[in-house]
Amino acid sequence: MSPLYIARSREIAARELAGEMMIMSVRDSTLFNLNELGTIIWQAADGATSLEEIVAQKICVDFEVEPAEAFKDAEAFVRELAEHGIMLLSDQPIQAIAD
Amino acid sequence: MLVTTTQELTIDIGGMPILVRTDNTEFAHMIEDRYGEFVTAATPHAAIVLEIELVKEPGQRVRGTGHGTRGSGLGVGDSDSGPRTPDPGLRTLEDDEYDQELSVRREAGRWVMERGDFRAEWEPQCHRGWVRQTANPYALDGVLRILHSLILAREGGFLVHAASAVRDGRAFVFAGVSGAGKTTIARLAPPDVTLLTDEISYVRNSLQVTGYRGQESEVGSQESGARSQELGNRSGENRKSQIGNCKSQIDNRQSTIENLPSPESRIPNPVSRVPCPDPLSPVTCNLSPAFSAFGTPFAGELARIGQRLRAPLAALFLLKQGPENRIEPLSEAEAGRELLRHVLFFAHDEELVGIIFQTVCDFVRRVPVRRLVFTKDARVWELIA
């Protein structure tokens, strides 16, 4: 299985409010709210770290969850964000990310 | 009757005066009647000089001021139900029946706004705009709402589908879709409450309220009927207005207005208030007036324009009618999500949408936002202020 790299789209505005991540697609003004796990993945989506590494380093360490199950959920999550155009996915490291 | 003399009137909403020019005396009178005390003395510091050309077309359909009739169709997901919940965010043109045909777009440095009853252009760089519209004040209403929403976006503010009012020098905003009770809450207000609007509220970052082009704004006079008769001052011309016969009255009013203290100096400073331990009683808390609310001439069912007044914003309530009066807390994220549903913005512009998103996030971090469940009972105002 090739690694999956994830990066935040540039076409968004995002803000963490009292621990909840709010993201707006500036293309169509659609709002997204991320829960705690989603926020961790979102903030780690730097384009250089693979999803597998993110799950292992950021999620499995702090949450009691099986790595395989966590990766499966995380992959479904990022693919859903990608369908809405707010997350970029690639099997190669992604250079252009939003800061 | 058409008169060729150019009429100039300044319509000052939110401390952003817009100078309107028209060759039609009757239309100028119509503007004066429509905007009341928002028509002010001429200023050389207008945010925009707007030339209005009246035409029979382009009015496929001429509308009233109208109200958004889309009930509560913009459902917000539950943030706990999954990793993310999409939500249609800013109210855009599709959300309001009266703006369904509206197009607001940026073309080569200028904004183009089109609706059935007007076509308008605005060049921000030279502070000038042009409007071709049918001879009704509602088209101008539409143009002004769009212009203010665009200007406000960069000034750290926004228009919001909300009633607002001032009590004891502090402003309260009541946001909600049509039918949520904006007009009702305005009608229930005690006599000492001053109405800013029962339909579209005007919110600005207080630090940005210095007037356009860096000119200190003086909003807050409750003098009625201070209408501009001055012509051509801005361009150095010395023409006389054909509007009305009250030039001397205007001059007197101008001096009166200038001598008035600013509204914020006439009211107790909220910062000096005793901190309040109850998070659900924002009105008595130690508030930093980060945002200000301004009166607008955009009226809802009350059919009465607001007072031309500015006050520091003490709290924003999201309206919900219920069996009793109570105030419920909201998380910042909940407040942000819900407030975004009520913000009026007409342009599909990625940069400005991003700016408004950040402004709303700033707002909910700095201004108490609560849900106000209320019944049609004037005692609800005991909870508010």
Side-chain angles (χ1 to χ4, degrees):
Chain A
M1 188 179 71
S2 58
L4 181 62
Y5 292 91
I6 59 174
R8 301 179 291 273
S9 165
R10 287 182 180 277
E11 296 177 333
I12 55 99
R15 188 77 164 262
E16 187 172 355
L17 289 175
E20 285 189 64
M21 181 61 72
M22 278 180 44
I23 301 164
M24 174 177 272
S25 162
V26 296
R27 277 191 305 184
D28 59 10
S29 299
T30 306
L31 263 184
F32 302 85
N33 309 310
L34 305 188
N35 64 13
E36 188 180 3
L37 286 174
T39 300
I40 290 171
I41 295 172
W42 175 264
Q43 290 176 332
D46 59 4
T49 313
S50 72
L51 182 61
E52 197 165 15
E53 289 175 279
I54 292 169
V55 170
Q57 295 169 6
K58 306 278 186 183
I59 294 179
C60 292
V61 170
D62 295 326
F63 297 87
E64 290 183 8
V65 58
E66 287 293 322
E69 188 181 344
F71 182 81
K72 187 178 160 191
D73 288 348
E75 185 180 15
F77 166 67
V78 298
R79 290 199 186 281
E80 199 170 355
L81 294 189
E83 285 174 16
H84 289 281
I86 65 170
M87 183 81 91
L88 309 175
L89 307 185
S90 172
D91 56 5
Q92 302 288 325
I94 303 165
Q95 297 298 321
I97 66 161
D99 293 318
Chain B
M1 181 181 70
L2 286 174
V3 179
T4 54
T5 309
T6 299
Q7 315 293 312
E8 294 193 351
L9 303 98
T10 301
I11 303 172
D12 188 340
I13 304 168
M16 301 228 196
I18 293 181
L19 190 143
V20 169
R21 284 185 179 148
T22 174
D23 290 336
N24 188 302
T25 303
E26 288 183 13
F27 187 68
H29 281 301
M30 198 186 291
I31 291 174
E32 285 193 308
D33 289 341
R34 164 69 187 86
Y35 294 102
E37 65 177 351
F38 289 87
V39 177
T40 65
T43 171
H45 302 288
I48 302 172
V49 176
L50 210 53
E51 311 272 357
I52 296 184
E53 179 188 357
L54 298 180
V55 293
K56 288 183 179 175
E57 299 294 329
Q60 295 98 20
R61 181 151 65 129
V62 178
R63 306 155 191 260
T65 48
H67 315 296
T69 55
R70 178 175 173 159
S72 55
L74 299 179
V76 179
D78 178 353
S79 62
D80 295 328
S81 63
R84 63 114 195 93
T85 50
D87 170 41
L90 294 175
R91 291 169 68 89
T92 55
L93 54 99
E94 293 90 349
D95 297 329
D96 289 299
E97 184 187 34
Y98 59 93
D99 285 320
Q100 272 179 358
E101 296 172 359
L102 180 66
S103 168
V104 181
R105 57 191 187 274
R106 197 157 27 179
E107 289 181 359
R110 69 169 58 184
W111 286 95
V112 178
M113 298 149 265
E114 287 181 302
R115 199 172 73 177
D117 53 348
F118 65 77
R119 175 187 163 85
E121 296 184 1
W122 169 43
E123 288 192 4
Q125 294 300 321
C126 63
H127 308 282
R128 294 178 66 87
W130 299 266
V131 184
R132 296 186 75 209
Q133 67 160 86
T134 53
N136 74 83
Y138 309 121
L140 184 58
D141 253 22
V143 173
L144 291 178
R145 281 200 301 265
I146 297 164
L147 288 173
H148 280 281
S149 72
L150 294 171
I151 295 171
L152 268 177
R154 293 198 186 279
E155 296 273 330
F158 50 83
L159 296 180
V160 56
H161 207 208
S164 46
V166 176
R167 191 176 207 188
D168 192 23
R170 291 163 298 156
F172 302 89
V173 175
F174 307 92
V177 295
S178 294
K182 297 187 295 296
T183 300
T184 302
I185 208 83
R187 284 196 175 117
L188 291 173
D192 64 316
V193 170
T194 304
L195 184 69
L196 296 178
T197 173
D198 73 327
E199 179 69 9
I200 296 179
S201 293
Y202 200 107
V203 174
R204 286 183 73 177
N205 185 321
S206 299
L207 296 176
Q208 298 284 341
V209 182
T210 55
Y212 216 61
R213 300 183 187 178
Q215 182 66 23
E216 184 67 36
S217 63
E218 286 292 338
V219 181
S221 163
Q222 294 195 51
E223 290 270 306
S224 63
R227 301 177 182 190
S228 168
Q229 305 294 305
E230 298 300 326
L231 285 180
N233 285 350
R234 191 172 180 281
S235 54
E237 298 167 89
N238 188 26
R239 293 171 292 176
K240 289 287 183 184
S241 170
Q242 300 298 308
I243 304 168
N245 296 305
C246 51
K247 176 70 164 64
S248 59
Q249 291 177 27
I250 298 303
D251 287 342
N252 291 338
R253 282 182 181 139
Q254 275 186 281
S255 61
T256 304
I257 292 168
E258 286 166 2
N259 291 335
L260 277 176
S262 70
E264 287 181 357
S265 65
R266 280 183 277 132
I267 60 176
N269 182 356
V271 177
S272 66
R273 290 175 182 275
V274 178
C276 159
D278 180 359
L280 295 186
S281 301
V283 296
T284 53
C285 285
N286 186 6
L287 295 171
S288 171
F291 287 84
S292 295
F294 290 74
T296 78
F298 305 123
E301 291 173 29
L302 210 56
R304 195 176 81 213
I305 68 172
Q307 294 286 316
R308 186 171 156 264
L309 182 71
R310 161 191 164 195
L313 215 165
L316 183 145
F317 295 100
L318 297 159
L319 293 179
K320 181 182 179 183
Q321 298 199 35
E324 59 179 2
N325 296 325
R326 67 174 187 273
I327 292 175
E328 297 176 350
L330 291 167
S331 73
E332 288 182 358
E334 283 177 308
R337 279 198 301 275
E338 294 219 21
L339 180 53
L340 280 164
R341 293 168 58 194
H342 302 300
V343 169
L344 287 164
F345 193 65
F346 306 95
H348 290 291
D349 184 272
E350 294 183 4
E351 181 193 5
L352 292 185
V353 166
I355 291 173
I356 289 178
F357 173 86
Q358 298 295 351
T359 298
V360 168
C361 290
D362 286 339
F363 183 93
V364 301
R365 293 196 68 184
R366 301 175 73 177
V367 177
V369 178
R370 314 286 186 237
R371 187 180 315 286
L372 177 63
V373 180
F374 77 104
T375 185
K376 292 182 181 176
D377 176 349
R379 283 175 297 183
V380 66
W381 274 91
E382 296 170 11
L383 284 180
I384 296 166

